[in-house]
């Protein structure tokens, strides 16, 4: 199966982690029926400095013609906030990637790295956050004046329906028996529309229990009893915020992966951490967020649940032997970005070659 994968390395530690993602895809290419071809699609701050645009036309064309996009991170400390990052939004809007899938799973071996006390971790943390990714405040309707500024939180029925349906479908696929909708329906009109549609759609899934939580309360419950949650669906900005909070529960922001998805169309896979200028170029960034984004690519774009599972297990195998500095442990070797990638690649090779 030939697949073209567009590659956007981006800024800061983006290139370092993306190279480790490519390493994993090469192993998949070598040991399975997949045959990957990589095409560069530069974007971000460095590109902006050189060409005056953060997403050159040619990069976007390459992305549109690919089967999936592996994406690093954008942003440079010497640029105004947003100058580089807005390329991400152009891709999300341009490809209509309405699902932002953000799995939050604490590996048992990283339990000691979770900032919560054992009693709050309970049976473990395994939450799938489904964030709406094209509407709400990110629709970019607004204006910035001298004395006032505004943004419109805009939602359509179509926008709510498609993401909520996706979340129910995913919950069913994963065998979850509960889905939590996070909103602010006591205040916000878009949340009132959202909640109404959530309950309409829930009628088609009588086997899945539903729960509504306000965003402020959810932020508390996420650290108080994270084991309560399975699939969580929410609007764009709330999803942005809770996913960073949740990402730290699994030991490090560097562990968290994501997929920006339009089912059946070109989708984009990226770690949740940003360009991390403070550690860029030092070879210490954790590549696991990117490698687990490759797992999501295999599962969501290429319909290969098994290969995705093998990548997941290869990560877990590797974590028993060595780790990057953000999740290090005295008993284990501390590894550089490339060493971590090599170790996971060798574990994956062992799994796929049998
Ligand atoms: C994310 C990021 C982006 C967002 C930024 C960089 C535009 O924080 O993917 O969560 O706000 O969605
Ligand atoms: Mn974010």
């Amino acid at each position: 199966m030939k697949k073209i994968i567009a590659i956007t390395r981006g800024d800061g530690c983006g290139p370092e982690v993306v190279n480790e993602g490519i390493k994993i895809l090469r192993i998949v290419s070598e040991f399975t029926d997949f045959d990957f071809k990589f095409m560069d699609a530069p974007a971000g701050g460095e590109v902006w400095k050189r060409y005056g645009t953060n997403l050159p036309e040619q990069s976007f064309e390459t992305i549109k013609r690919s089967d999936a996009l592996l994406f690093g991170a954008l942003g440079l400390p010497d640029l105004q906030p947003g100058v580089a990052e807005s390329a991400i939004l152009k891709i999300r809007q341009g490809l209509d990637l309405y699902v932002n899938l953000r799995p939050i799973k604490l590996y048992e071996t990283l339990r000691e790295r979770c900032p919560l006390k054992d009693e709050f971790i309970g049976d473990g943390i395994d939450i799938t956050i489904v964030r709406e990714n094209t509407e709400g405040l990110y629709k970019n309707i607004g204006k910035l004046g001298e004395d006032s500024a505004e943004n419109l939180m805009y939602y359509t029925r179509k926008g709510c329906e498609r993401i909520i349906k996706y979340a129910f479908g995913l919950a069913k696929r994963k065998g979850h028996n509960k889905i939590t909708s996070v909103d602010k329906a006591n205040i916000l009109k878009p949340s009132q529309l959202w909640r109404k549609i959530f309950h309409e759609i829930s009628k088609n899934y009588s086997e899945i229990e539903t729960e509504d939580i306000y965003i402020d309360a959810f932020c508390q419950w996420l650290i108080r009893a994270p084991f309560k949650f399975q699939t969580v669906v929410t609007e764009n900005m709330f999803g942005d915020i809770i996913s960073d909070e949740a990402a730290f529960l699994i030991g490090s922001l560097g562990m968290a992966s994501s997929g920006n998805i339009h089912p059946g169309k070109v989708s984009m896979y990226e770690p949740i951490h940003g360009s991390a200028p403070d550690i860029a170029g030092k070879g210490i960034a954790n590549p696991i967020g990117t490698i687990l984004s490759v797992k999501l690519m295999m599962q969501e774009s290429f319909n290969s649940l098994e290969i995705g599972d093998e990548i997941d297990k290869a990560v877990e195998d590797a974590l028993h032997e060595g780790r990057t500095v953000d999740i290090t442990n005295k008993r284990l070797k501390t590894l550089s970005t490339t060493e971590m990638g090599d170790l996971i690649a060798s574990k994956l090779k062992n799994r796929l070659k049998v």
Side-chain angles (χ1 to χ4, degrees), residues 11-83:
D11 306 315
C13 69
E16 297 164 63
V17 293
V18 166
N19 287 342
E20 303 314 307
I22 295 174
K23 208 177 261 176
I24 297 304
L25 286 163
R26 287 197 203 281
I27 299 284
V28 173
S29 241
E30 198 178 328
F31 293 94
T32 71
D33 293 340
F34 283 99
D35 180 7
F36 297 125
K37 183 164 178 255
F38 303 103
M39 303 271 288
D40 277 322
E46 299 291 358
V47 170
W48 186 85
K49 283 185 183 170
R50 205 165 331 140
Y51 304 109
T53 167
N54 58 17
L55 183 65
E57 192 57 38
Q58 207 190 336
S59 292
F60 194 49
E61 281 306 314
T62 302
I63 293 168
K64 280 196 281 193
R65 277 186 275 112
S66 71
D67 294 298
L69 166 62
L70 181 63
F71 194 92
L74 307 186
L76 288 175
D78 58 340
L79 293 178
Q80 289 287 320
V83 170

Side-chain angles (χ1 to χ4, degrees), residues 37-317:
K37 183 164 178 255
F38 303 103
M39 303 271 288
D40 277 322
E46 299 291 358
V47 170
W48 186 85
K49 283 185 183 170
R50 205 165 331 140
Y51 304 109
T53 167
N54 58 17
L55 183 65
E57 192 57 38
Q58 207 190 336
S59 292
F60 194 49
E61 281 306 314
T62 302
I63 293 168
K64 280 196 281 193
R65 277 186 275 112
S66 71
D67 294 298
L69 166 62
L70 181 63
F71 194 92
L74 307 186
L76 288 175
D78 58 340
L79 293 178
Q80 289 287 320
V83 170
E85 295 91 328
S86 66
I88 301 176
L89 304 183
K90 287 183 197 165
I91 297 170
R92 288 178 183 164
Q93 297 287 346
L95 299 178
D96 196 26
L97 304 176
Y98 66 92
V99 179
N100 195 326
L101 185 61
R102 299 188 150 182
I104 298 294
K105 187 178 89 172
L106 176 65
Y107 288 104
E108 213 30 56
T109 151
L110 286 185
R111 212 178 158 100
E112 94 255 6
R113 302 291 317 185
C114 176
L116 303 182
K117 286 187 195 146
D118 216 48
E119 63 193 280
F120 295 106
I121 304 175
D123 292 342
I125 304 173
D126 190 358
I127 307 171
T128 308
I129 298 177
V130 178
R131 165 185 174 190
E132 201 291 320
N133 212 29
T134 49
E135 294 198 336
L137 292 166
Y138 282 74
K139 198 96 191 142
N140 204 15
I141 305 170
K143 55 177 187 277
L144 172 62
E146 274 305 316
D147 302 313
S148 71
E150 62 187 51
N151 271 120
L152 181 66
M153 187 187 256
Y154 182 77
Y155 268 97
T156 61
R157 169 169 277 275
K158 177 185 164 216
C160 297
E161 274 179 2
R162 64 181 185 172
I163 189 70
I164 292 169
K165 277 187 191 154
Y166 177 91
F168 272 99
L170 186 77
K172 194 167 171 182
R173 174 149 64 94
K174 291 193 166 280
H176 290 175
N177 53 29
K178 191 175 90 173
I179 180 165
T180 304
S181 165
V182 178
D183 67 28
K184 189 73 183 171
N186 47 350
I187 292 290
L188 301 175
K189 303 274 185 290
S191 283
Q192 291 161 9
L193 177 67
W194 173 281
R195 193 178 275 216
K196 185 164 153 234
I197 294 171
F198 178 68
H199 288 285
E200 283 169 18
I201 292 173
S202 75
K203 296 205 175 79
N204 303 322
Y205 296 86
S206 53
E207 71 282 17
I208 302 177
E209 184 196 332
T210 59
E211 172 180 52
D212 302 283
I213 305 194
Y214 296 139
I215 176 66
D216 47 353
F218 179 82
C219 288
Q220 183 201 151
W221 282 105
L222 186 57
I223 53 171
R224 186 164 156 185
F227 47 83
K228 274 167 52 94
F229 301 113
Q230 301 178 30
T231 297
V232 172
V233 62
T234 191
E235 71 88 38
N236 208 338
M237 177 63 97
F238 297 161
D240 179 41
I241 297 168
I242 63 172
S243 55
D244 269 36
E245 185 191 359
F248 197 64
L249 297 179
I250 59 177
S252 162
L253 200 53
M255 294 291 298
S257 59
S258 79
N260 296 261
I261 299 168
H262 188 126
K265 296 199 178 163
V266 184
S267 297
M268 163 187 176
Y269 298 86
E270 55 167 345
I272 292 191
H273 65 74
S275 57
D278 51 327
I279 59 161
K282 295 188 180 159
I284 58 170
N286 185 343
I288 296 179
T290 307
I291 290 171
L292 292 175
S293 301
V294 168
K295 163 194 166 175
L296 286 177
M297 181 190 288
M298 294 309 306
Q299 298 192 323
E300 303 302 315
S301 280
F302 303 148
N303 213 1
S304 184
L305 283 186
E306 293 110 81
I307 295 175
D309 280 344
E310 295 300 343
I311 295 173
D312 195 276
K313 289 186 191 131
V315 167
E316 194 161 17
D317 293 345

